[in-house]
Amino acid sequence: MHANRKGRDFIARHGETVFNIARRMQGAHPHTPLTRAGFAQADAMGAALREILGPKPKLTLWSSTMGRALQTLAIIAEHLELDWHQARTDERLVEIGMGEWSGRYYDALRDEVGEFLDLEHGLYNRPPPGGEWYDAIAVRVSSWVADTDEDAGDRLVIMHGMSSRILRGVMAGLDVMPQFDAPVAPDLPQGSIVMIEGGRETVVHTGTGRGAAPA
């Protein structure tokens, strides 16, 4: 699926947000601002990418349409001396849709419905009512990959905890995990960056944010 790509793909998970720190279900909430820790994580991502790519690299910028991803990208773009306004956005890069669980506090939801996470993998163990499951994420991110496969050179993609794991799984050709109906890459903390080149993934920066949390 990703055979046409000539450059490297740097896929990053946005920094910590006010919902993350409050342990609220964030999902497809469009605008949840970064915390001070989230800004620090974005700063560290920008510095790490500048070390790898240098200033003003030839880099196509992509982002989820959600505010927290665009806010993270703004800080990274400043480090790289790139124009944030040149970034491309796509709804297919957004986070998992949470349906009726959207905005709920984790603890209150757990009290109501029981354990909703597969704790080994940091993923949901059932679809959120009225929400999205991982096979649907795989379909939409695979569609984005197919539509953008001819992007020239390197690119940076700012995404979310769960949707980025599915995109990475798709791009690295991982096997479908039957309990999730999708290929799923390993969990990484907020503020992390991987590089995928030729279908192989390398972690190039590990963030300081929490891992395995729906974010």
Side-chain angles (χ1 to χ4, degrees):
M1 175 178 296
H2 208 60
N4 296 333
R5 283 285 294 136
K6 306 301 184 191
R8 299 171 292 178
D9 287 296
F10 295 90
I11 301 172
R13 183 180 177 187
H14 67 76
E16 180 188 81
T17 74
V18 294
F19 266 49
N20 299 144
I21 202 168
R23 306 295 292 166
R24 289 184 72 180
M25 292 288 193
Q26 192 162 215
H29 266 276
H31 301 304
T32 53
L34 300 183
T35 61
R36 288 172 63 192
F39 276 109
Q41 290 155 12
D43 257 332
M45 281 192 278
L49 284 169
R50 188 180 175 106
E51 280 288 315
I52 296 167
L53 299 169
K56 299 182 180 177
K58 291 185 177 179
L59 189 67
T60 304
L61 303 177
W62 280 97
S63 177
S64 155
T65 55
M66 294 180 168
R68 57 195 186 270
L70 289 163
Q71 198 173 13
T72 300
L73 179 59
I75 296 165
I76 294 172
E78 189 173 340
H79 276 273
L80 296 176
E81 300 179 45
L82 296 177
D83 183 0
W84 178 88
H85 298 90
Q86 298 301 310
R88 306 174 190 180
T89 60
D90 199 299
E91 292 281 356
R92 292 172 291 185
L93 300 176
V94 303
E95 184 57 302
I96 185 171
M98 294 306 303
E100 294 175 17
W101 292 355
S102 185
R104 295 290 305 275
Y105 285 91
Y106 296 178
D107 289 347
L109 182 64
R110 193 172 280 113
D111 288 344
E112 185 179 309
V113 305
E115 183 54 68
F116 50 82
L117 284 177
D118 178 321
L119 297 175
E120 179 184 355
H121 299 99
L123 297 169
Y124 296 115
N125 60 22
R126 72 195 92 159
E132 192 174 30
W133 192 233
Y134 298 109
D135 54 351
I137 299 176
V139 168
R140 60 175 166 86
V141 299
S142 295
S143 170
W144 177 82
V145 167
D147 287 352
T148 63
D149 225 17
E150 294 182 0
D151 279 356
D154 296 341
R155 63 184 177 184
L156 172 65
V157 187
I158 309 294
M159 292 181 67
H160 307 269
M162 293 197 176
S163 59
S164 69
R165 291 177 68 186
I166 306 300
L167 176 66
R168 290 162 50 211
V170 165
M171 292 175 69
L174 302 184
D175 291 336
V176 169
M177 297 180 73
Q179 68 270 48
F180 305 119
D181 299 317
V184 186
D187 185 48
L188 291 170
Q190 289 164 330
S192 297
I193 309 169
V194 304
M195 179 183 74
I196 297 181
E197 184 174 18
R200 287 187 297 276
E201 175 176 291
T202 306
V203 178
V204 297
H205 177 72
T206 302
T208 60
R210 65 180 82 231

